Amino acid sequence: MVKSYLRYEHLKTFGVVASPTANPVWAPSSSSTTRHTSAGAAVVPANEEVLVWDIKSGELLSRWKDDNCKAEVTIVTQSKTDNDVFAVGYSDGSIRIWDWKTAQLVISFNGHRSAVSALAFDSSGTRLASGGKDASIIVWDLIAEVGLYKLKGHKDQITTVGFLRAPVAEEGEDATMEDAERDEDGWLISTGKDTLLKLWELSTQHCMETHVAHNGECWGMALSPDGKGCITTGNDGELKVWAIDPRGLSAGAAKGDINCLLDRGYLYRSTKDRGVTVTFHPSSSYIATHGTDKNVEIWRIRTEDEIKRLLKRKRKRKAEKAGTKVDTNGVEDLSSATVDDIFVSYVIVRAAGKVRGIDWAIKPGKSSSIQILVSLTSNALELYDIRKPTSSKDKSKESEVPDYKKLYSVELPGHKSDVRSLALSSDDRMLASASSESLKIWNVKTSTCIRTFDCGYSLCCSFLPGDKIVVVGTKTGEIELFDVASSVMIESIKAHEGAIWSLQVHPDGKSLVTGSADKTAKFWNFEVVQEEIPGTKRTTPRLKLVHKRTLKMEDDILAVRYTPNGKHIAVALLDNTVRIFFTDTLKQLHNLYGHKLPVLNIDISSDSKLIATCSADKNVKIWGLDFGDVHKSFFAHSDSIMQVCFERDSHNFFSASKDRLIKYWDGDKFENIQKMEGHHGEVWALAVGRVSEFVVSASHDKSIRIWEQTDDQIFLEEEREKELEELYESTLTASLDDGTAGSAPVGKQTAETLMAGERIMEAIDMGIDDLNLLQAHAEAQARRPGISIAPPQRNPVYVALGNISAETHLANIISKVKASHLQDALLVLPFEKVEKMMRFLDIWAAKEWNIPLTSRILFFLLRTHHRQLVASKTMRPMLDSVRAHLRAALRRQKDEMGFNLAGVRYILRGIHEAANKEFVGESDEITAGVNGTRKRGFGNLS
């Protein structure tokens, strides 16, 4: 009989505030009642999810997650026209449009070969530009949900993209139709790690200008709110200011010899590290920039009056040095001002950790300060308030150093550093997670942090019997005891001279063993002592650890583990061996050797018969405790294995590795049951439920994930077949990309588009057979009009669907394909199927079914297979028929739209007239009487 297992599925993730993989975005509060009192919301990446935090309360407002996507978030941006619409780029090259109010996925795009690194909405919110690590830029139509075109020209990762708008034509200027179309498409400006700054004309889809922005990589760019300038950031703290000639955009496109991007000079940040982000304040004259350190530098843009005063002072000093007379009545020429005259460093905000991203927080109404949201690499968010310079002429106030303060921070829901150890309480209700700076206690059911303790660099932790006290072993050799109820540290004991790598409570709950890098394992008993309360004669009971025995070894101890029956203790050493001792006498029973690198962790099955060891040599070994023999050794992971844990009352076990995988194994058959993918960093710790069927894991990506056992059965053969299919699909969808510069169509084959194409081909074949069958029946009936011929036996699929027609079935299949995937699915069709598809397009055009979709499919197939269609003589009658039917349908729809539009205008005019009141003004009557006429002046009051 084939053995089956139960599958473990990802249940939930917590412990992440903001991942360092993407930028944060500040958004105003969605509630109108709290908009003026709230600090707003922070939309931040959290591995494969996007989280929305209330900055003031630290509450999680929303969680955006697509179950079909496991890639990390790499970029987040907000629409300029609708604050509820966000575009999110992922590391697999996909882009998803989310609605904040509903937390629902609106549109999904997939066009980049690698991670998306830049996103930008246009001013109307109908187009989206995306740049990727594949050095390509794609412009997407959000209304039609398709990719318009791909722009190639950069040689390395795109770092920033931005739309440019044409200036509004002034009175007296004539604009041609070509200028209007060009202005409607606009221009695009992009930067890349290839040091280049490029200006693209979107109407012709070609690069107008290319400039070398910096000597090294160009890491970021910010467009000014008025679109007349931009700033790029490079290495060595360098900022470069560019002026954009808005009038020269159209003229330069026509003549081709006018530079629209003009170099104005350099600014230098206070530090010499590379820049990451630079951004303009949307409504105030401030610029914020940061690098890879803890500093956020705020620059202020001087007003015209300030620049004129500065230039006047410079001219005065220059004249004094030259000994000439100063002309006090001269008018200062602003064009002579340098970037140092215009931009001045205002304040440097020092954050609590390294800065990953920044965004301006826009306060409603007028305010005496500006606010900035800062995302840290240490899994935290901070909001700073920066005071604006006072307008007072008091010199003492002007000489004050600009002040800033941290208003709010979101940091409690996650660790600042990697979680190194996990421990579950005896009833699986609480989870303890320990990192290099803190110990946190979590409610497993609600995933909320209920306690946070400051501790040393912890390497291991465990709940003591009763689940009221947590014990932690630190890197400095101390044992720390924390009381969960009172949130205090009970005691800190200097237990070892080296790091405590492992500790475990004895199965009887009366003692504790610790293993350290000082080559000793120490045994501690729990004792309750009566301690006097200072200032009184009363005493209070207190738990203390009393050292009883010491086991000295020849090398550093990396792991210790009791057998569940308490008779033996296993000790893993740095010399790649595992020693088994009797617990009572500490005499050695077995010496397990065979690993080539140190054993990092060990675990023993609940029946005390098997011991599993994992090592840095990427192998897992299963040993028998009776004789110390190795049952099986197998290559388990592609990197060091950090921990193994046996399932409760079973020989099945889990292994966690630096290769980001958790694997589920059968310890009797030595088979890999399941791979649990989801973490985006090294998996450091595991904990298996004591009473419930779930596993908890912690990783370098700061996330703590719970994997729950489901009722879905696993059969090993089916699991291996599924893995082979995934491997085949991943190689199948990896298509070649040409490296030619310029414009190219947007397309990327995925498993979803391939499956959609196969469904379309299957429906076409079924439909052609059905059409031929019905046509033959009709011809036979026409030859014998006096006899009723029984209808033919149709395909059972059509009968099951309500005896629908073949063209209806194909239309339903195609309509279920996402608009963004339709073109890639149609590319799967060979020319033989395209010929058959034309027959259905002719039927749809004749019946006027979904003319927009019919036209889109027809034009795409004509562009793609133009040469074959032109060379085929048999296709001409079909194409003529399609053209005739489509023209008739479009003409009828055009007439209908014109009629409806005229009706709407008539109704609108009636509403407008009904809303207006006509009256005669008194002044008009007086004027008419003076002139001796009976003319009446009318005015409209809406």
Side-chain angles (χ1 to χ4, degrees):
M1 184 177 177
V2 179
K3 186 177 181 180
S4 64
Y5 307 87
L6 294 179
R7 185 184 301 276
Y8 279 83
E9 293 284 355
H10 177 245
L11 180 62
K12 53 185 166 182
T13 303
F14 55 93
V16 182
V17 176
S19 296
T21 57
N23 60 299
V25 174
W26 182 90
S29 176
S30 59
S31 175
S32 59
T33 57
T34 60
R35 184 163 294 177
H36 294 279
T37 59
S38 171
V43 182
V44 294
N47 297 319
E48 74 276 10
E49 302 175 326
V50 177
L51 302 181
V52 182
W53 295 95
D54 186 303
I55 301 174
K56 188 174 183 179
S57 64
E59 178 188 356
L60 182 62
L61 301 177
S62 181
R63 185 188 296 265
W64 307 342
K65 182 183 178 183
D66 186 0
D67 294 332
N68 299 323
C69 178
K70 295 183 179 179
E72 286 182 295
V73 174
T74 54
I75 182 76
V76 182
T77 190
Q78 186 180 20
S79 173
K80 298 177 181 178
T81 55
D82 188 350
N83 290 333
D84 294 329
V85 175
F86 289 82
V88 181
Y90 295 82
S91 60
D92 61 353
S94 62
I95 302 168
R96 287 168 175 79
I97 311 297
W98 295 89
D99 189 336
W100 179 13
K101 284 185 178 179
T102 60
Q104 296 294 322
L105 176 64
V106 181
I107 311 173
S108 176
F109 296 122
N110 205 333
H112 289 280
R113 312 289 173 183
S114 55
V116 180
S117 55
L119 288 173
F121 284 94
D122 71 346
S123 57
S124 64
T126 58
R127 289 182 300 170
L128 176 71
S130 64
K133 287 187 176 180
D134 57 359
S136 63
I137 301 170
I138 300 177
V139 179
W140 306 89
D141 187 342
L142 300 181
I143 305 300
E145 301 182 15
V146 294
L148 298 177
Y149 39 81
K150 181 184 291 186
L151 303 175
K152 298 179 182 179
H154 285 280
K155 302 300 181 185
D156 206 341
Q157 172 184 333
I158 309 297
T159 53
T160 322
V161 292
F163 283 94
L164 285 178
R165 288 180 297 171
V168 180
E170 296 180 358
E171 292 185 5
E173 293 185 358
D174 295 329
T176 63
M177 185 65 69
E178 293 181 358
D179 293 338
E181 291 178 357
R182 187 188 301 116
D183 295 347
E184 184 179 352
D185 288 328
W187 292 265
L188 189 75
I189 189 168
S190 63
T191 60
K193 289 174 68 175
D194 55 1
T195 75
L196 299 180
L197 172 68
K198 285 181 175 287
L199 179 64
W200 306 82
E201 186 183 0
L202 298 183
S203 59
T204 58
Q205 301 165 25
H206 82 284
C207 181
M208 291 173 56
E209 294 181 24
T210 299
H211 300 267
V212 177
H214 297 274
N215 292 329
E217 294 93 339
C218 184
W219 292 101
M221 177 194 67
L223 283 167
S224 62
D226 58 3
K228 295 182 179 179
C230 67
I231 296 179
T232 57
T233 176
N235 295 324
D236 301 327
E238 189 178 75
L239 299 172
K240 196 169 187 178
V241 181
W242 302 81
I244 301 174
D245 182 9
R247 300 294 174 186
L249 286 174
S250 300
K255 298 179 181 180
D257 57 353
I258 300 177
N259 278 341
C260 303
L261 296 176
L262 306 174
D263 181 5
R264 291 303 189 195
Y266 291 92
L267 300 172
Y268 293 94
R269 296 189 297 113
S270 59
T271 55
K272 295 297 181 183
D273 60 333
R274 71 172 179 89
V276 176
T277 306
V278 57
T279 176
F280 281 87
H281 195 285
S283 57
S284 298
S285 55
Y286 292 91
I287 299 168
T289 178
H290 74 90
T292 56
D293 56 2
K294 297 181 179 181
N295 296 334
V296 178
E297 194 161 348
I298 310 297
W299 297 72
R300 188 172 67 86
I301 305 174
R302 289 189 172 107
T303 62
E304 287 189 14
D305 293 338
E306 288 178 319
I307 297 172
K308 288 179 180 179
R309 287 198 299 268
L310 181 65
L311 293 177
K312 189 174 182 179
R313 285 198 300 268
K314 281 187 174 182
R315 187 162 52 86
K316 185 177 180 180
R317 286 197 210 100
K318 188 176 180 181
E320 288 175 353
K321 285 184 179 180
T324 60
K325 187 178 179 181
V326 182
D327 183 12
T328 57
N329 298 323
V331 179
E332 304 299 333
D333 184 11
L334 291 178
S335 62
S336 63
T338 63
V339 290
D340 292 324
D341 298 332
I342 300 172
F343 299 93
V344 57
S345 181
Y346 183 60
V347 67
I348 297 177
V349 177
R350 187 163 180 84
K354 289 186 177 180
V355 179
R356 171 55 186 89
I358 56 175
D359 194 25
W360 292 106
I362 312 302
K363 299 174 69 175
K366 292 185 178 180
S367 175
S368 61
S369 63
I370 54 175
Q371 294 180 353
I372 190 167
L373 173 68
V374 180
S375 170
L376 307 180
T377 58
S378 58
N379 198 26
L381 292 170
E382 295 178 343
L383 184 70
Y384 288 91
D385 186 83
I386 305 162
R387 192 180 62 195
K388 290 182 180 179
T390 57
S391 58
S392 173
K393 296 182 180 179
D394 187 359
K395 298 295 182 181
S396 62
K397 289 187 177 181
E398 285 186 355
S399 61
E400 285 183 5
V401 178
D403 187 23
Y404 71 90
K405 59 182 178 180
K406 182 166 69 173
L407 290 181
Y408 307 106
S409 64
V410 183
E411 56 186 4
L412 287 180
H415 285 275
K416 293 182 180 179
S417 57
D418 295 0
V419 175
R420 288 289 178 172
S421 178
L422 293 173
L424 282 164
S425 60
S426 58
D427 56 2
D428 290 342
R429 292 186 178 181
M430 290 188 295
L431 173 72
S433 60
S435 66
S436 62
E437 87 293 335
S438 64
L439 167 72
K440 289 183 180 289
I441 310 298
W442 306 82
N443 185 318
V444 175
K445 187 175 181 180
T446 61
S447 305
T448 54
C449 179
I450 55 178
R451 293 287 186 275
T452 299
F453 303 94
D454 292 330
C455 67
Y457 197 122
S458 55
L459 299 174
C460 51
C461 66
S462 177
F463 278 93
L464 295 187
D467 300 332
K468 294 182 179 180
I469 297 174
V470 179
V471 59
V472 173
T474 67
K475 196 174 183 178
T476 56
E478 296 177 344
I479 299 177
E480 297 177 346
L481 296 175
F482 297 92
D483 188 346
V484 177
S486 60
S487 301
V488 296
M489 180 192 290
I490 300 175
E491 189 177 12
S492 179
I493 305 168
K494 183 62 177 177
H496 292 271
E497 298 300 324
I500 300 176
W501 289 107
S502 180
L503 61 84
Q504 191 194 13
V505 178
H506 193 280
D508 63 8
K510 297 179 180 178
S511 62
L512 176 78
V513 62
T514 56
S516 170
D518 64 0
K519 305 178 183 179
T520 60
K522 293 186 178 181
F523 298 83
W524 309 79
N525 283 0
F526 303 138
E527 292 186 4
V528 178
V529 298
Q530 296 294 329
E531 211 173 57
E532 286 189 6
I533 300 175
T536 65
K537 295 183 179 180
R538 292 181 297 169
T539 60
T540 180
R542 182 182 169 191
L543 179 72
K544 293 200 71 173
L545 293 181
V546 180
H547 179 222
K548 290 298 182 182
R549 293 184 297 173
T550 301
L551 176 63
K552 294 185 178 181
M553 306 301 295
E554 301 83 22
D555 218 328
D556 293 9
I557 297 175
L558 299 181
V560 291
R561 184 68 58 183
Y562 281 111
T563 56
N565 58 19
K567 293 182 179 179
H568 305 99
I569 184 172
V571 180
L573 304 178
L574 193 62
D575 62 1
N576 311 342
T577 63
V578 177
R579 311 284 178 89
I580 310 296
F581 297 91
F582 289 100
T583 305
D584 49 0
T585 62
L586 295 184
K587 290 184 177 179
Q588 184 170 320
L589 174 63
H590 299 303
N591 184 7
L592 311 180
Y593 57 89
H595 283 288
K596 297 177 182 178
L597 289 174
V599 176
L600 301 179
N601 194 255
I602 54 180
D603 197 25
I604 301 172
S605 62
S606 54
D607 57 3
S608 302
K609 292 183 178 180
L610 294 182
I611 177 171
T613 61
C614 65
S615 167
D617 62 7
K618 309 171 189 175
N619 289 321
V620 170
K621 292 182 184 289
I622 308 295
W623 314 77
L625 272 177
D626 293 338
F627 304 102
D629 57 325
V630 59
H631 290 186
K632 185 70 174 178
S633 176
F634 44 87
F635 184 80
H637 291 267
S638 58
D639 209 335
S640 300
I641 305 170
M642 303 307 298
Q643 194 164 348
V644 287
C645 288
F646 271 99
E647 204 176 20
R648 179 171 45 88
D649 300 329
S650 171
H651 284 178
N652 300 340
F653 65 93
F654 300 90
S655 62
S657 168
K658 283 185 177 181
D659 64 0
R660 307 179 180 185
L661 292 177
I662 302 168
K663 293 188 178 182
Y664 183 31
W665 304 86
D666 187 336
D668 292 326
K669 291 188 174 183
F670 317 116
E671 294 272 5
N672 180 20
I673 302 171
Q674 182 188 357
K675 291 181 182 177
M676 297 152 66
E677 298 175 322
H679 282 291
H680 300 281
E682 298 90 340
V683 184
W684 298 119
L686 276 181
V688 179
R690 300 187 180 184
V691 295
S692 305
E693 304 298 336
F694 66 83
V695 184
V696 186
S697 59
S699 167
H700 173 66
D701 61 13
K702 306 292 193 303
S703 68
I704 301 173
R705 296 174 187 261
I706 297 181
W707 312 80
E708 187 181 39
Q709 190 181 75
T710 63
D711 296 331
D712 185 17
Q713 289 188 335
I714 296 178
F715 297 94
L716 297 183
E717 290 185 4
E718 292 181 2
E719 201 70 13
R720 299 295 89 79
E721 289 177 3
K722 188 185 298 183
E723 291 176 5
L724 289 175
E725 286 179 5
E726 291 176 356
L727 180 62
Y728 172 71
E729 288 177 356
S730 64
T731 56
L732 185 66
T733 56
S735 55
L736 295 175
D737 186 21
D738 59 341
T740 57
S743 177
V746 180
K748 179 185 176 183
Q749 291 293 349
T750 62
E752 188 174 356
T753 59
L754 289 174
M755 291 175 63
E758 290 173 358
R759 288 195 297 268
I760 293 173
M761 284 193 290
E762 183 182 357
I764 289 174
D765 290 335
M766 286 173 49
I768 289 295
D769 293 340
D770 189 71
L771 289 179
N772 293 335
L773 188 65
L774 295 178
Q775 185 178 358
H777 174 263
E779 291 175 356
Q781 185 68 52
R783 287 195 299 267
R784 307 174 68 181
I787 304 173
S788 177
I789 302 176
Q793 184 68 32
R794 301 184 66 201
N795 193 300
V797 174
Y798 298 136
V799 179
L801 293 174
N803 208 24
I804 62 174
S805 62
E807 56 269 22
T808 304
H809 178 251
L810 180 59
N812 292 338
I813 292 294
I814 293 181
S815 62
K816 291 178 181 177
V817 180
K818 292 181 180 178
S820 56
H821 296 167
L822 180 58
Q823 292 186 1
D824 294 323
L826 293 174
L827 283 176
V828 179
L829 304 182
F831 185 68
E832 175 194 0
K833 298 294 188 293
V834 172
E835 292 178 331
K836 298 177 181 178
M837 185 72 190
M838 288 296 177
R839 186 172 174 183
F840 287 100
L841 291 174
D842 187 29
I843 297 174
W844 295 347
K847 295 185 176 182
E848 299 186 10
W849 284 359
N850 200 343
I851 294 300
L853 180 62
T854 303
S855 303
R856 182 182 169 194
I857 295 172
L858 175 63
F859 298 147
F860 178 77
L861 293 179
L862 289 176
R863 286 196 307 267
T864 307
H865 302 276
H866 179 261
R867 292 183 180 179
Q868 295 94 322
L869 290 171
V870 169
S872 175
K873 294 182 179 179
T874 58
M875 288 298 297
R876 181 163 184 172
M878 178 62 69
L879 292 175
D880 288 339
S881 176
V882 173
R883 181 176 62 179
H885 289 145
L886 193 59
R887 280 185 175 178
L890 291 174
R891 189 180 300 112
R892 194 196 65 79
Q893 287 198 356
K894 181 181 177 182
D895 294 341
E896 184 179 345
M897 290 172 64
F899 180 81
N900 292 338
L901 187 59
V904 170
R905 286 174 178 167
Y906 176 77
I907 296 172
L908 190 62
R909 187 164 59 249
I911 295 174
H912 183 67
E913 290 176 355
N916 292 342
K917 300 296 182 182
E918 295 185 348
F919 72 99
V920 179
E922 184 179 355
S923 60
D924 296 332
E925 289 184 346
I926 295 173
T927 304
V930 169
N931 295 334
T933 61
R934 298 183 60 81
K935 187 182 294 183
R936 301 172 65 188
F938 293 95
N940 287 336
L941 178 64
S942 299

